[in-house]
Amino acid sequence: MKVKSILPISALFLSQIYFAQETPKKETDDKEKQIEAVTITKTKKAVEQKADRTIYDFSEQPHLNSGNTLEGLQKIPGLVVSEVAGMVYQGKALDVYMDGRPLNIYSTQLTAYLEGLPANSIEKIEIITQPGAEFPATSGGAIINIVTSRNAKSYLSATYAGGYRFSNYEHFRSKFNNSLTLNSKNKWFGWQLNVGQSYNESETRSTIDEISRLYNDNYNRNQYLRSAFTFDVGQDRLLLNYNLTFGSSDRYVDGYSLFEGKESTSKDKTDQSNTRNEITATYQKNFDDKNKKLEFKGSYTNFNNNFGQASQDVSPLPSEMKNVLNNGSNQNVYNFRVDYSQPIKVLDEGKISLGAYYDQLELTAENFNVENLDYKSKTTAFYSEASATKGKMDLVLGLRGEYYNINGTSLNPDNGNYDNLRSFEKFKLFPNASVQYNIIPKIASFNINYNKKITLPNVANLNPNNNRYSNDNIDYSGNPNLQPTIFDNFEIKLTALNYAFIGYNFTNAKNQVVQKVSRTGDVISQTSDNIGRMKTHNFNIGFPIPLAVFNTPFKEIMKMDMNPDKVSFIFLYGAYQLQQIDEVIDPKGYWTYNVTGQFILPLSVKFIANYTYLTKGNSDFFYPNKSFYNTLNLSLSKKFNNDRMTLTLFANDVFNTNETNLRTINTIPNVFIRNKNDTRNFGLSFNYKIPTKNKLAKESPNLLNQEKKEETSTL
C-alpha cells in the first residue's frame, strides 16, 4: 500500500472511532419495563478533545493506571512533571485540582502526594487548557483536574485494586498499593467509600557542582479515605464529602561535602509527615427544565506538614546525631460558591451562567516551634458567562471580577522583629472569549480562545523555611514577598474526531514566579523570585495511524471494526516550545516527541509501548545537559471473567535513561545539578470488579465529583 493512502485511511479510522463510541439516544417509557438478560456496554473514549479541555480516561487504560498517579501522568503526551518546571502541559503551567477542587499543595509535597496515590484509583484526567469565567481567575494558565471518583450503583458493589512494583539498582526495592471501593444507592440515599494505602521504597543520587554528592534511601507511606453521601431533599439533592489523607516519608542520606577546602562525609536522616482533611457540602436545586442549574457549595480544607532533619558527621571527626531542621506549617482554606445557569433565547440557542465565589487561605509556618510566617489571602469574586450557537458557529463570552486582599507578617532573622509582607489589595477584571467553527459537526472543528488569568504565589514558594534536605553546601528557602502573576492566554486549534489535532498557544506572563539557583563560594542557594515578563510559544500536533494501512487492502479496511480498543495503531505527538525571558539573551526552544503504540496480540492481549523524548532547550533559568525527559514504558494487559478482572504487567523506563541533568543560566558561575532516581521498575497491577446479580442496575450521579458537569461543553 502506498504511503499516500495513510491519511485517508487514518481519517476513516477516526470516523470509525467516533461512531463506535457514540451512545445512541433511547426513548424511554413512563413505565418501567422488565427486561431479562440485557447488558448495555458503553465504550469510554481513551482521549476526548473538547473546546476547552482534553480528557484522558485512566480507568480503562492499563498503561496509564498501573503504578502510581505521577507515573501515569508522565505518560500523557505533552505533559511534563518535574520539581524544576512544575507541571506543564503543551507549554502551560497547570494548577492542580482533585475532584473539582484545588489541592493547594506544591513542589516536593505535591510530588510525594501523587507518588502515594495509586493510578488505578483514578477515573480520568481533565486538562482544561481554556478555563472560562466559571473557574477561579487564580487558576493561572490552565487546570489539571484529577478525578478519583467512581459511579455509585443501585446496589452494593465493591472494586478491589492492587499493584506491586520493584526496582533493582544496588538494592532490591519494593513498591505496592491496595485500595477498596464500596458503592451503594437506594431510593433514599447513596454512599460511597474508597480506602487505600501505598508503600514506596526508592533511591536518589544527587550531585551539585561536585561539591555535594548525596545518596538517598527513601521510604514513603500513604493512607487515604474518600467518602461521599447523597440525600434527596424533596426534588433537590444534598451531597456531603469527607476526605482524609496521611502521608509520611523517611529519607536516609549518605552525604559528601566539600566546604572551604575541607572534605567531610555524613549520615543524615529527614522525616516528613502531613495530614490533609477536607469537608465539602453541596446543595443542588432541581428544576423541571434540566438545563437549568442552581448549586450552593461550601468546603473546608486543612493541610498540616512537618519536616525535620538530623545530621551526624562521619569524617573527618565523628559526632553525635543532632537536629538541624525542625519546620512545620499549617494551612486552612475556606471557600463558598454559588452557580446558576439557564437557557436563553439568543441566535439559534444559548445559555447564561452567573455565580459568586469566596475563598480564604490562612498559612502559618514555624521554625523550631517559633512562628516565622503568618500569611492571609482573601478572594471575593463574581462571574457572568454567555454562550450561543448560530449555524456552525459556537460563541462564548465571559467576564469575571475578583477582589484580592493579601497581607501578613514574617520574622526577620537579622533583628528578630516581625516585618509586614508586601501587601496586595486590588480588584481586577478577567475576560474570556471563545469562537468555535464546526467545519463538519461532531467531526471536525476549529476554535480560537482568549482568557486573562492570575496566579497567586503558592505556599511552598512563600514559606521561608527549608522543607528539603540541606547541608553546608545546600540552602533552600521561600520568599514571603512574592507577588501574583498575570497571564494573557491565546490559543488556536484544529481538531478532528477527538484524536487528531494541530494547535498553537501563546502566553504572556507578567511577574512570573521562577526558581533561581545561585552559588556564593561553596554555598548553593535556591529560592523563588518574580521576573518582569515571560512569553511562551507552543506548537503541538497529534495524529493516529492504524497499522492496517501497511498490510491490508483498502476494501478490507472498509469492512473492519475500527473500535480503538480492538485494533492496533500508533499515535504520534510532537510539540515545540520557546520561552522568551528578558534576562535570557539567546533563548533556546525544545521539541517534545511522543510515540504511543497499541498492538492487539493473540488471545486479546494488549501490548502498549510509550516513548517520550524532550530535546535540549531552556526552561525558566535552567538548560539541560541531557534531555529533560527520555523514557520508554511497556505494558501487557489482559481482561478476564467477562472484563470484570484486568491483569497488567509493566516496565517503566526500560533503558534507565530518565534523569535530571542541567545547568543554571541566570548567574555566573553556572551551577550544575544532576539527580537520578530509580525510575526503571517492573511490576504488575490487578483490578477486580465484584459482579452483581442485578442486571438492570442504573448508574447514579457521580458522588465524589460534584463540581461543574465536565462532560457537557460550555459551547
Side-chain angles (χ1 to χ4, degrees), residues 12-288:
L12 170 66
F13 172 65
L14 289 170
S15 63
Q16 294 281 0
I17 288 174
Y18 172 77
F19 289 115
Q21 294 181 336
E22 277 291 284
T23 302
K25 295 181 180 179
K26 295 181 174 62
E27 295 183 359
T28 58
D29 295 334
D30 294 335
K31 296 181 179 180
E32 188 175 301
K33 296 182 179 180
Q34 182 71 21
I35 304 175
E36 296 294 338
V38 174
T39 301
I40 299 174
T41 302
K42 180 180 179 180
T43 304
K44 294 184 178 180
K45 296 180 179 180
V47 182
E48 188 173 2
Q49 295 280 350
K50 294 193 174 182
D52 63 343
R53 73 196 64 199
T54 303
I55 302 172
Y56 294 89
D57 173 55
F58 263 52
S59 63
E60 302 295 331
Q61 307 300 315
H63 73 291
L64 296 179
N65 64 33
S66 57
N68 62 54
T69 299
L70 183 64
E71 292 171 337
L73 292 175
Q74 290 173 329
K75 297 172 186 176
I76 293 178
L79 181 62
V80 178
V81 185
S82 72
E83 293 183 7
V84 173
M87 196 174 294
V88 179
Y89 180 74
Q90 297 181 3
K92 294 186 176 183
L94 295 173
D95 198 15
V96 183
Y97 280 50
M98 181 164 285
D99 294 331
R101 295 175 289 275
L103 265 180
N104 289 316
I105 54 177
Y106 307 90
S107 188
T108 54
Q109 296 174 7
L110 176 62
T111 301
Y113 184 83
L114 295 176
E115 285 180 332
L117 187 65
N120 53 25
S121 68
I122 303 302
E123 183 78 9
K124 61 184 176 181
I125 300 293
E126 298 176 323
I127 302 180
I128 306 168
T129 54
Q130 292 296 329
E134 184 174 355
F135 294 93
T138 50
S139 57
I143 294 171
I144 180 169
N145 184 29
I146 303 170
V147 181
T148 63
S149 55
R150 303 286 182 181
N151 285 330
K153 306 286 185 178
S154 297
Y155 53 88
L156 178 63
S157 65
T159 301
Y160 168 79
Y164 174 79
R165 295 171 295 143
F166 70 89
S167 61
N168 192 6
Y169 287 67
E170 289 190 1
H171 301 285
F172 187 90
R173 304 179 188 279
S174 296
K175 317 160 195 284
F176 58 84
N177 60 270
N178 296 276
S179 68
L180 180 66
T181 302
L182 301 174
N183 306 278
S184 184
K185 181 76 168 66
N186 55 47
K187 63 180 180 179
W188 296 288
F189 69 94
W191 61 270
Q192 189 172 45
L193 182 67
N194 176 233
V195 293
Q197 60 82 224
S198 66
Y199 174 80
N200 184 12
E201 299 175 358
S202 62
E203 70 170 48
T204 304
R205 296 178 180 273
S206 303
T207 303
I208 303 180
D209 269 2
E210 298 299 332
I211 62 173
S212 177
R213 294 196 297 270
L214 308 173
Y215 174 75
N216 301 268
D217 204 2
N218 311 313
Y219 299 85
N220 300 312
R221 306 166 188 85
N222 184 272
Q223 300 88 36
Y224 61 90
L225 177 150
R226 307 181 66 80
S227 63
F229 304 87
T230 179
F231 302 90
D232 292 330
V233 183
Q235 298 298 315
D236 304 333
R237 176 173 293 164
L238 173 67
L239 300 107
L240 303 175
N241 297 74
Y242 174 68
N243 302 324
L244 173 65
T245 303
F246 295 106
S248 65
S249 63
D250 298 318
R251 174 175 293 187
Y252 299 87
V253 184
D254 292 333
Y256 163 84
S257 176
L258 177 62
F259 185 74
E260 296 181 347
K262 297 179 181 179
E263 294 183 309
S264 63
T265 59
S266 63
K267 286 189 175 297
D268 309 316
K269 179 189 176 183
T270 70
D271 60 88
Q272 186 168 10
S273 62
N274 57 73
T275 304
R276 179 182 176 87
N277 284 275
E278 184 178 48
I279 301 173
T280 304
T282 306
Y283 187 85
Q284 297 175 331
K285 180 68 178 174
N286 184 58
F287 297 96
D288 293 334

Side-chain angles (χ1 to χ4, degrees), residues 8 13 17 93 113 151 225 237 239 247 283 341 387 399 460 473 490 522 552 577 590 592 615 620 662 682 711:
F13 172 65
I17 288 174
Y113 184 83
N151 285 330
L225 177 150
R237 176 173 293 164
L239 300 107
Y283 187 85
S341 64
S387 60
L399 183 66
N473 304 113
F490 303 85
D522 289 335
T552 306
Q577 178 175 313
Y590 63 86
T592 300
T615 64
D620 294 346
L662 51 84
F682 308 88
E711 286 74 13

Side-chain angles (χ1 to χ4, degrees), residues 47 50 97 230 272 296 337 384 435 537 601:
V47 182
K50 294 193 174 182
Y97 280 50
T230 179
Q272 186 168 10
F296 303 88
R337 64 180 298 168
S384 175
V435 178
H537 305 264
L601 305 180

Side-chain angles (χ1 to χ4, degrees), residues 486-528:
I486 305 294
F487 295 91
D488 286 289
N489 302 302
F490 303 85
E491 183 179 56
I492 58 174
K493 195 170 190 177
L494 177 65
T495 303
L497 291 159
N498 301 317
Y499 286 81
F501 60 88
I502 181 171
Y504 166 78
N505 62 68
F506 169 73
T507 296
N508 183 26
K510 300 177 182 178
N511 269 348
Q512 175 69 50
V513 175
V514 297
Q515 297 295 309
K516 287 188 175 180
V517 177
S518 60
R519 177 173 176 176
T520 304
D522 289 335
V523 177
I524 310 294
S525 301
Q526 176 175 327
T527 190
S528 302

Side-chain angles (χ1 to χ4, degrees), residues 284-577:
Q284 297 175 331
K285 180 68 178 174
N286 184 58
F287 297 96
D288 293 334
D289 184 350
K290 299 302 181 182
N291 293 316
K292 292 181 66 174
K293 168 188 172 182
L294 178 60
E295 183 175 281
F296 303 88
K297 175 175 289 189
S299 69
Y300 164 73
T301 302
N302 173 264
F303 183 76
N304 184 275
N305 184 71
N306 294 286
F307 179 86
Q309 178 180 329
S311 297
Q312 178 184 22
D313 293 332
V314 176
S315 68
L317 296 174
S319 69
E320 298 291 330
M321 183 75 74
K322 60 180 180 180
N323 292 327
V324 296
L325 289 175
N326 183 7
N327 300 319
S329 64
N330 188 67
Q331 178 186 168
N332 292 304
V333 182
Y334 311 84
N335 65 60
F336 174 80
R337 64 180 298 168
V338 55
D339 298 288
Y340 175 77
S341 64
Q342 72 167 45
I344 56 175
K345 293 182 179 180
V346 58
L347 301 179
D348 294 340
E349 61 176 309
K351 185 180 80 168
I352 187 168
S353 300
L354 305 168
Y357 176 83
Y358 176 79
D359 181 88
Q360 179 174 319
L361 183 149
E362 301 172 352
L363 171 68
T364 58
E366 60 182 34
N367 179 30
F368 282 99
N369 298 318
V370 176
E371 184 175 297
N372 57 358
L373 176 67
D374 184 6
Y375 173 89
K376 292 182 175 64
S377 170
K378 298 178 182 179
T379 303
T380 305
F382 67 88
Y383 75 88
S384 175
E385 188 172 72
S387 60
T389 299
K390 178 63 176 177
K392 293 184 177 182
M393 194 78 71
D394 296 325
L395 308 169
V396 173
L397 187 63
L399 183 66
R400 188 178 182 96
E402 295 200 347
Y403 171 74
Y404 306 99
N405 185 354
I406 301 174
N407 57 72
T409 59
S410 65
L411 179 65
N412 189 327
D414 296 330
N415 56 28
N417 296 326
Y418 284 89
D419 298 333
N420 291 325
L421 302 179
R422 291 173 59 189
S423 62
F424 183 82
E425 188 171 356
K426 189 173 291 187
F427 175 80
K428 293 189 70 67
L429 291 174
F430 299 91
N432 69 282
S434 176
V435 178
Q436 176 168 304
Y437 179 69
N438 300 300
I439 303 170
I440 304 175
K442 297 187 178 181
I443 302 295
S445 63
F446 175 76
N447 63 66
I448 302 175
N449 295 283
Y450 165 76
N451 64 58
K452 181 183 283 289
K453 295 291 181 180
I454 187 173
T455 292
L456 305 181
N458 69 60
V459 294
N461 293 335
L462 289 167
N463 193 338
N465 298 321
N466 183 1
N467 288 317
R468 302 184 187 182
Y469 172 86
S470 66
N471 57 22
D472 290 339
N473 304 113
I474 306 171
D475 178 43
Y476 295 101
S477 63
N479 181 357
N481 285 298
L482 291 174
Q483 294 294 287
T485 304
I486 305 294
F487 295 91
D488 286 289
N489 302 302
F490 303 85
E491 183 179 56
I492 58 174
K493 195 170 190 177
L494 177 65
T495 303
L497 291 159
N498 301 317
Y499 286 81
F501 60 88
I502 181 171
Y504 166 78
N505 62 68
F506 169 73
T507 296
N508 183 26
K510 300 177 182 178
N511 269 348
Q512 175 69 50
V513 175
V514 297
Q515 297 295 309
K516 287 188 175 180
V517 177
S518 60
R519 177 173 176 176
T520 304
D522 289 335
V523 177
I524 310 294
S525 301
Q526 176 175 327
T527 190
S528 302
D529 199 4
N530 291 109
I531 61 174
R533 185 184 302 273
M534 183 168 74
K535 299 178 180 179
T536 303
H537 305 264
N538 186 274
F539 167 81
N540 54 86
I541 184 171
F543 200 85
I545 301 175
L547 297 187
V549 303
F550 298 106
N551 57 14
T552 306
F554 185 78
K555 291 182 179 180
E556 295 299 321
I557 291 179
M558 292 290 292
K559 302 176 184 178
M560 293 178 61
D561 176 12
M562 287 293 185
N563 187 324
D565 198 46
K566 304 294 183 181
V567 301
S568 300
F569 67 90
I570 295 175
F571 185 82
L572 304 177
Y573 172 83
Y576 177 77
Q577 178 175 313

